[in-house]
Amino acid sequence: MPPVDLLAGLREIVGDTHVVTDPDSVAPYAQDWTRRWHGKPLAVVRPATVAQVSSVVRACAAAGVALVPQGGNTGLVGAGVPQDGEVVLSLARIDQVGPLDPLGKTLMAGAGSTLAQLQRAAGTAGLDIGLDFSARDTATIGGIAATNAGGERVMRNGVARFRIRGLECVLADGSVVRRMSGVAKDNTGYDLVQLMIGSEGTLGVITAVQLDLIRPHKIVGTALVAVSTVDDALTVLRAVQRDFTGLEAAEFFHHDGLQLVLKHERLAQPFDRPHPLYLLFDLADDDNRPDAYDELTTLLTDLDCVRDVVLVANAAERRRLWELRELQTEAVSAEGVPVKLDVALPLNQFSNFERQLAAVVREVARHAVPILFGHIAEGNVHVNLLNALEEDADGAVTEAVLDLVASLGGSISAEHGIGLANRRWLPLTRSSADLAAMRAIKSALDPEGILSPGRMLPERVVPNT
Ligand code: MLT
Ligand code: ZN
């Protein structure tokens, strides 16, 4: 079917105004948040129901035109932006929130509902969805499920797949799979829910999610601890975990990242002198100790490796400390388009990685400026390299960093996904048997390669033996 017939067919399915082809209106869907990944889509299609999604997928499949599902477009690896000629399937209009089942502790959510909307909905019942990260106002639950997103509460509640009990998705032939009974025990056949989670739109289009809710923990205090090294930060964390059970989140950032945030945002210096590294954590009241705040103060003051500390309890002050960490992404982006990598290291290799990284990067990009921050509890480092884009045109910078990560036994893709950015390097940590199994799943569920082709899997299998 020629594109013009496909567009007419799509207009019939979703209505004229929801097939967008005008370049200005298409632009926000065609480029990702980092400005590194972009394409020229045939059209953006905005269905309002799962039935419409199904019909859109069928129409695209019949026309042999690939489509890429897109939620809030906050992804960082090019998984949700179109390549030339593809149809962007925006899930933004499928944004219903609820119903919430307070007994079974579940919440239904349309794929286009945002993380913040869902947090608020769960909060009305005194519950929480257990997921949080800085893009909360824009990131949608469909994308969060599709990328198996992580964020700041992973040490406590796990990544997205642990928070999702069921989902509904449209397969490449337009058929709909719906597994949302809500029962906690259900071993009926292969677990298609978990297969879809983290498949980045390559196996199906997620249209709705059933979230598993938790009872939120009351935060006793938030600490920003200045230290000299990553090993010192880990020593502080170990001491806190030895004396308390409620560690809720633990993040880190460096002096240079903090300076960027202070340069681009109107925020105050947290300390009266600079320090090399900062550890930020929340402590919850699991132990129900009335003096927990004071005990934490004493612990942190007594630790030799702590250079300085700010400990706060009220919500506004806590938010201000968190902004110093959460605004790092935007501050980096305000400086330029970075090479953005998202890796995880075994904790005992974390400082080794930081020590070797600068030299490894300098070899391939002499003027690169690394800004590192992330989720220290999981060894998850967001490596942002400014002034390195040109040298990474053929992937040399990415390869140097990911080689180092693989040699230290880490993950080359921690929580942002594979998309277009990382697919070449899957063989670094996935065997040929592993890749062959993934390819078999892809071709069984999407034999014509209609859904997000070219993402996730490398061009060809390179044995890593
Ligand atoms: C974060 O932790 O801030 C996000 O994963 C975004 C990023 O890495 O830039
Ligand atoms: Zn992150």
Side-chain angles (χ1 to χ4, degrees):
M1 198 190 295
V4 59
D5 292 348
L6 173 61
L7 292 178
L10 294 173
R11 287 192 180 102
E12 242 169 68
I13 297 165
V14 297
D16 285 1
T17 50
H18 295 297
V19 178
V20 184
T21 53
D22 151 58
D24 285 346
S25 312
V26 163
Y29 300 88
Q31 175 167 275
D32 83 329
W33 194 89
T34 68
R35 309 188 295 276
R36 188 165 188 195
W37 307 105
H38 39 79
K40 289 196 185 72
L42 177 67
V44 177
V45 184
R46 301 188 300 213
T49 62
V50 62
Q52 288 184 0
V53 173
S54 164
S55 301
V56 168
V57 172
R58 276 186 221 276
C60 288
V65 172
L67 49 84
V68 57
Q70 190 181 96
N73 199 9
T74 58
L76 300 168
V77 293
V81 285
Q83 298 200 286
D84 292 357
E86 290 180 350
V87 165
V88 176
L89 177 52
S90 167
L91 280 306
R93 291 175 68 216
I94 307 186
D95 62 351
Q96 72 280 5
V97 174
L100 185 150
D101 172 7
L103 191 60
K105 292 220 227 41
T106 59
L107 173 64
M108 298 293 208
S113 48
T114 66
L115 180 55
Q117 284 172 328
L118 297 169
Q119 288 171 333
R120 282 193 293 273
T124 58
L127 297 167
D128 185 32
I129 65 172
L131 288 169
D132 199 18
F133 49 81
S134 54
R136 59 183 74 77
D137 290 318
T138 319
T140 56
I141 196 65
I144 290 168
T147 54
N148 187 27
E152 296 153 5
R153 306 282 143 177
V154 169
M155 65 175 302
R156 186 72 140 168
N157 307 317
V159 292
R161 69 170 72 252
F162 291 93
R163 311 280 14 111
I164 293 173
R165 200 178 289 187
L167 58 73
E168 174 190 80
C169 64
V170 175
L171 301 180
D173 63 357
S175 57
V176 179
V177 170
R178 191 176 156 84
R179 293 206 181 173
M180 298 176 105
S181 71
V183 295
K185 290 185 172 178
D186 185 5
N187 280 349
T188 322
Y190 295 132
D191 194 338
L192 298 184
V193 172
Q194 291 298 329
L195 182 63
M196 287 297 152
I197 298 172
S199 66
E200 298 184 18
T202 62
L203 300 181
V205 181
I206 297 172
T207 47
V209 167
Q210 182 178 43
L211 292 160
D212 211 345
L213 302 179
I214 58 166
R215 227 161 252 304
H217 312 107
K218 184 171 171 294
I219 304 297
V220 171
T222 293
L224 183 66
V225 185
V227 291
S228 300
T229 64
V230 166
D231 281 334
D232 287 349
L234 290 170
T235 301
V236 176
L237 271 190
R238 263 194 304 275
V240 174
Q241 282 175 307
R242 182 196 60 212
D243 290 5
F244 300 88
T245 39
L247 196 60
E248 181 90 5
E251 304 280 311
F252 79 102
F253 51 93
H254 286 260
H255 172 69
D256 44 13
L258 175 62
Q259 292 318 301
L260 282 188
V261 170
L262 298 179
K263 175 177 162 191
H264 292 287
E265 310 288 337
R266 289 159 151 250
L267 295 171
Q269 284 275 7
F271 298 108
D272 52 17
R273 68 189 174 106
H275 299 281
L277 189 89
Y278 302 94
L279 166 71
L280 175 71
F281 68 84
D282 278 351
L283 183 70
D285 74 341
D286 293 31
D287 306 311
N288 213 3
R289 281 155 43 181
D291 298 327
Y293 185 89
D294 295 337
E295 286 164 11
L296 181 60
T297 310
T298 309
L299 171 70
L300 294 175
T301 332
D302 286 353
L303 282 170
D304 287 342
C305 62
V306 171
R307 294 165 62 113
D308 211 339
V309 61
V310 180
L311 181 59
V312 297
N314 84 54
E317 288 176 318
R318 292 185 46 232
R319 186 95 305 275
R320 270 200 290 280
L321 288 188
W322 269 95
E323 278 175 346
L324 299 173
R325 158 62 185 90
E326 287 195 340
L327 291 171
Q328 303 258 329
T329 304
E330 284 173 41
V332 167
S333 197
E335 288 288 303
V337 180
V339 173
K340 235 177 175 354
L341 300 166
D342 163 45
V343 302
L345 282 305
L347 287 183
N348 61 6
Q349 295 296 342
F350 204 135
S351 62
N352 203 2
F353 172 72
E354 287 221 338
R355 262 196 304 277
Q356 292 188 51
L357 181 76
V360 159
V361 169
R362 216 173 305 118
E363 282 279 303
V364 280
R366 257 185 340 126
H367 303 294
V369 179
I371 308 288
L372 309 185
F373 58 89
H375 316 282
I376 192 169
E378 296 91 38
N380 183 183
V381 189
H382 297 318
V383 179
N384 291 262
L385 302 166
L386 286 163
N387 300 344
L389 212 50
E390 243 172 68
E391 290 84 347
D392 199 44
D394 64 353
V397 181
T398 299
E399 181 148 312
V401 177
L402 298 188
D403 271 346
L404 174 63
V405 172
S407 74
L408 297 174
S411 163
I412 62 160
S413 167
E415 63 168 7
H416 294 169
I418 299 295
L420 295 168
N422 297 316
R423 66 189 189 124
R424 244 173 80 187
W425 291 280
L426 253 65
L428 282 176
T429 56
R430 293 289 178 261
S431 69
S432 46
D434 216 325
L435 289 168
M438 289 196 227
R439 281 178 195 290
I441 293 170
K442 170 70 178 168
S443 50
L445 288 184
D446 182 18
E448 307 299 331
I450 291 296
L451 300 176
S452 300
R455 281 75 165 188
M456 179 77 89
L457 290 164
E459 216 77 70
R460 64 194 171 82
V461 179
V462 182
N464 70 343
T465 48

